[in-house]
């Protein structure tokens, strides 16, 4: 895989617009990606769009972007979409299920695949895109946390380009020296500074955290995102997952990654070099910037994002995260240090806990409790093959679900 394969653009131009598949097109990242693509019909062509169950939204996107193929993971939803597309007189081919997602990721007409499904569900389609040598824009961080080394190995084999879209990782990518390769350490880097807004509960009194609702947790002060990542941003598990994501992408030990709370979300991350230089990437908090950057890289294109006005920002604050307020950070750091399948176990436990919180079964402060329980009970494997990772992911989910079902009184105390 390479991130320095920079001399393709003239050839691309001559061949016309580049085909793009968006895995998870109805989500927050998917919609932002379509917004950027629609600004550049000369460069990009939407080839395939995919969603889980949202028929109406995917239908609307098909009407607007005329893809050759649309995939619904849910088979019943796929049937409905097919009927609605024919009623609309559209010829878009409809696929369904896991295999439909993998086919959309592998389509020969798509040179670019945007991985924007949420959670572990994105792993197999992302892997399919990597195996088929695509330029893969990685927003979906969970597959990297679970099996980053497998994605890197497969990319090395196929020549796929892995480009980070997560805003912090895209910022770091922009601050690293040219010639950087995913998974390989860059010379002269002393440390990576990952910035973090602190989420909606940065200053909420600790005692009030047990009672916060999903709506409060999803009301992020700086970014409008899907519900799962919004909860992760409120617990700071998102930052914990991002430490693991950064260590995989940039070939750097978790201990060389420092988290800095930066409430304005203007500095998206920094790279500190041996000579004392610290490089940062700044911009308004809008995912269309990293998406446009990775779509056109190494060129620069319009993204629709408002120019940063430093005078208006006026002040940039930085502080250390409070470990007592954010126990998920410690859990993620422990899992990162343990290595093996521990990050996959952490991720699976977190996915179950977040979904239980969003469903009203457990309280906000129960999320780290569930994860801590799973980390202490589910044994990890040193081996890191895909089958082993998936088996440990399944064991972690079972353990988390059993714990939640087994402690109905103690958990959910916060929302009763
Ligand atoms: P979202 O919930 O808004 O959208 C998720 C998309 O995935 C939807 O299109 C949905 O239909 C699809 N999907 C959900 N479950 C699926 C399943 N089981 N099978 C197939 N498709 C499924 O999420 P989002 O906020 O766009 O985030 C997507 C990914 O990008 C996440 O991994 C998140 O961590 C990462 N990310 C998001 C942001 C952001 O600003 N939203 C920033 C950085 C990274
Ligand atoms: Mg991020």
């Amino acid at each position: 895989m390479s991130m320095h394969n920079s001399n393709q653009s003239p050839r691309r131009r001559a061949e016309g617009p580049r085909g793009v598949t968006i895995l998870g097109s109805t989500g927050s990242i998917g919609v932002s990606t379509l917004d950027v693509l629609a600004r550049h019909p000369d460069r990009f062509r939407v080839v395939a769009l995919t969603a889980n169950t949202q028929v109406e939204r995917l239908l609307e996107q098909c009407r607007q972007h005329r893809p050759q193929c649309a995939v619904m993971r849910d088979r019943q939803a796929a049937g409905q979409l097919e009927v609605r597309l024919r009623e609309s007189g559209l010829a878009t081919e409809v696929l369904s299920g896991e295999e439909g997602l993998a086919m959309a990721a592998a389509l020969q007409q798509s040179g670019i695949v945007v991985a924007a499904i949420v959670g572990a569900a994105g792993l197999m389609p992302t892997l399919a895109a990597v195996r088929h040598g695509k330029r893969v824009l990685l927003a979906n961080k969970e597959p990297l946390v679970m099996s980053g080394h497998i994605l890197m190995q497969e990319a090395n084999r196929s020549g796929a380009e892995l480009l980070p879209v997560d805003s912090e990782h895209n910022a770091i990518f922009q601050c690293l020296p040219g010639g950087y390769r995913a998974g390989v350490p860059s010379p002269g880097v002393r440390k990576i500074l990952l910035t973090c807004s602190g989420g909606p509960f940065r200053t909420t009194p600790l005692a009030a955290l047990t009672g916060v609702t999903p709506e409060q947790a999803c009301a992020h002060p700086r970014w409008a995102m899907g519900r799962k990542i919004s909860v992760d941003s409120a617990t700071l598990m998102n930052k914990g997952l991002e430490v693991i994501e950064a260590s995989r992408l940039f070939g750097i030990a978790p201990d060389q990654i420092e988290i800095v709370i930066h409430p304005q979300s203007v500095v998206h991350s920094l790279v500190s070099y041996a000579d004392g230089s610290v490089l940062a990437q700044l911009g308004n908090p809008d995912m269309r910037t990293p998406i446009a950057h990775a779509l056109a890289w190494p060129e620069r294109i319009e993204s629709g994002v408002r120019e940063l006005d430093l005078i208006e920002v006026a002040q940039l604050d930085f502080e250390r995260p409070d470990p007592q307020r954010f126990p998920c950070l410690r859990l993620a750091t422990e899992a990162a240090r343990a290595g093996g399948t521990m990050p996959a176990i952490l991720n699976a436990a977190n996915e179950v806990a977040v979904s239980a919180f969003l469903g009203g079964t457990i309280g906000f402060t129960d999320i780290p409790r569930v994860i801590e329980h799973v980390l202490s009970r589910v044994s990890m494997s040193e081996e890191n093959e895909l089958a082993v990772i998936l088996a440990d992911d399944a064991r972690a989910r079972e353990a988390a679900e059993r714990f939640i079902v087994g402690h109905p009184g103690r958990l959910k105390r916060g929302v009763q």
Side-chain angles (χ1 to χ4, degrees), residues 22-32 50-54 57-58 61 71-74 97-98 101 115-122 125 138-143 165-169 223-230 232-233 238 241-242 245 286-287 290-291 351:
I22 306 178
L23 301 168
S25 65
T26 55
S28 161
I29 293 287
V31 168
S32 293
T50 86
N52 191 16
T53 54
Q54 296 167 306
R57 274 208 212 167
L58 193 55
Q61 292 184 341
V71 187
M72 306 257 18
R73 193 201 56 88
D74 184 88
E98 298 276 334
L101 294 172
I117 290 175
V118 58
L138 289 165
N140 186 195
K141 64 194 80 183
E142 294 88 348
V165 165
D166 205 349
S167 58
E168 297 77 2
H169 305 75
W223 302 92
M225 308 177 286
R227 283 168 80 75
K228 193 262 175 180
I229 185 178
S230 294
D232 286 348
S233 302
N238 183 51
L241 296 176
E242 287 185 358
E245 181 186 9
D286 187 322
M287 289 306 293
I291 291 167
E351 286 194 23

Side-chain angles (χ1 to χ4, degrees), residues 124-140:
M124 297 313 288
T126 302
L127 193 55
V130 172
R131 284 182 173 150
H132 283 82
K134 308 297 186 191
R135 168 175 289 202
V136 182
L137 272 56
L138 289 165
N140 186 195

Side-chain angles (χ1 to χ4, degrees), residues 168-195:
E168 297 77 2
H169 305 75
N170 182 268
I172 295 161
F173 174 44
Q174 294 198 41
C175 295
L176 284 173
Y180 161 75
R181 288 170 66 88
V184 180
S186 297
V189 172
R190 184 184 278 161
K191 135 171 127 175
I192 282 176
L193 298 146
L194 267 188
T195 55

Side-chain angles (χ1 to χ4, degrees), residues 12 92 125 163 187 277:
R12 244 183 2 244
T92 305
L163 301 188
S277 300

